[in-house]
């Protein structure tokens, strides 16, 4: 369901923490309906990039256009209301609330059709339905991550941003997370995904960017990167 319309357009973005320049002029685009992944080693600037897109950090220069709105200087809550949802690094669920209460917190406004959205999420993530009355703090790590993703899609976003959804999970749970992300994408949600798990991310994505110390060093279709010797050696653990 990819079309050519650009949903997210980043041009020459620079982001600094004080005197340290973490993002040094990156440009990237995400088209409506695409799954795009950003790969990169620890400290490359992936989280910084995502936080700047969702308004949690401010760019030093460059521009970010989302769904035809220039959001470069917008506040995070205004960006949410334009249809962007960010599931941050680390599973941040409210431990003393139930699964369902956590999901309802993700609804941007509480409306009648939230019940329908809840059912949609329970279809994609059936484990959450089974455990809807359980306190989120007692879920396993993988279940908490599913809950974090479920909460992020409660607002029915146009763009879902995921920062390392598989971090710290066992391989069997990682499979479940990737399957859920794929199903979400198939319902028409555009996805921007950051992952250490490069191979799984490339299998899921349409296109990918590689970030190295604040700069984009490679970009292409996921197949191009999966077949690139440089990428295989640096990120996919293959030796030639
Ligand atoms: N609050 C901060 N203050 C100063 N420097 C920071 C801050 N947050 C991040 N950095 C630095 O910016 C660079 C990019 O960090 P970032 O968290 O974006 O990397 P990342 O690619 O997400 O890494 P990881 O894979 O470990 O999550 C790093 O060198 C980091 O030390
Ligand atoms: Mg990070």
């Amino acid at each position: 369901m990819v079309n050519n319309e650009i949903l997210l357009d980043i041009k020459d973005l620079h982001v600094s923490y004080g005197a340290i320049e973490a993002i040094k002029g990156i440009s990237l685009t995400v088209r409506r309906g695409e799954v795009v992944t950003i790969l990169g080693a620890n400290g490359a600037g992936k989280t910084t990039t995502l936080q700047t897109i969702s308004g949690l950090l401010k760019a030093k220069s460059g521009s970010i256009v989302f769904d035809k709105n220039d959001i470069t200087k917008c506040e995070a809550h205004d960006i949410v209301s334009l249809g962007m949802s960010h599931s941050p690094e680390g599973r941040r669920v409210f431990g003393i609330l139930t699964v369902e209460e956590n999901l309802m917190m993700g609804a941007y406004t509480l409306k009648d059709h939230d019940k329908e959205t809840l059912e949609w999420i329970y279809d994609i993530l059936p484990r959450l339905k089974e455990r809807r009355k359980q306190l989120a703090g007692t879920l396993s790590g993988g279940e908490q991550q599913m809950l974090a993703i479920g909460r992020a899609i409660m607002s029915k976003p146009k763009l879902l941003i995921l920062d390392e959804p598989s971090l710290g999970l066992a391989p069997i749970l990682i499979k479940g997370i990737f399957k859920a992300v794929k199903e979400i994408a198939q319902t028409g949600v555009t996805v921007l995904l950051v992952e250490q798990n490069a191979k799984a991310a490339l299998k899921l994505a349409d296109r990918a960017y590689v970030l190295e110390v604040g700069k984009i060093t490679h970009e292409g279709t996921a197949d191009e990167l999966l077949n690139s010797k440089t990428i295989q050696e640096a990120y996919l653990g293959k030796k030639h």
Side-chain angles (χ1 to χ4, degrees), residues 47 89 163-164:
T47 297
E89 203 174 333
D163 195 352
E164 309 238 16

Side-chain angles (χ1 to χ4, degrees), residues 17-18 20-23 40-49 51 57 89 163-164 167 194 196 211 213:
Y17 295 103
I20 300 163
E21 192 173 35
I23 300 299
N42 294 121
K46 304 179 299 295
T47 297
T48 303
T49 301
Q51 290 187 332
L57 289 171
E89 203 174 333
D163 195 352
E164 309 238 16
L167 191 71
V194 158
Q196 292 279 334
L211 196 55
V213 280

Side-chain angles (χ1 to χ4, degrees), residues 91-106:
R91 303 180 273 278
R92 309 233 180 104
V93 297
F94 299 99
I96 55 159
L97 299 182
T98 66
V99 166
E100 191 150 302
E101 285 164 348
N102 266 275
L103 289 172
M104 293 310 284
M105 302 273 303

Side-chain angles (χ1 to χ4, degrees), residues 76-117:
H77 59 266
D78 293 325
I79 297 174
V80 170
S81 67
L82 290 172
M84 190 190 295
S85 184
H86 183 172
S87 177
E89 203 174 333
R91 303 180 273 278
R92 309 233 180 104
V93 297
F94 299 99
I96 55 159
L97 299 182
T98 66
V99 166
E100 191 150 302
E101 285 164 348
N102 266 275
L103 289 172
M104 293 310 284
M105 302 273 303
Y108 176 59
T109 51
L110 293 175
K111 294 185 223 87
D112 291 345
H113 65 242
D114 285 335
K115 279 270 166 240
E116 253 169 63
T117 311

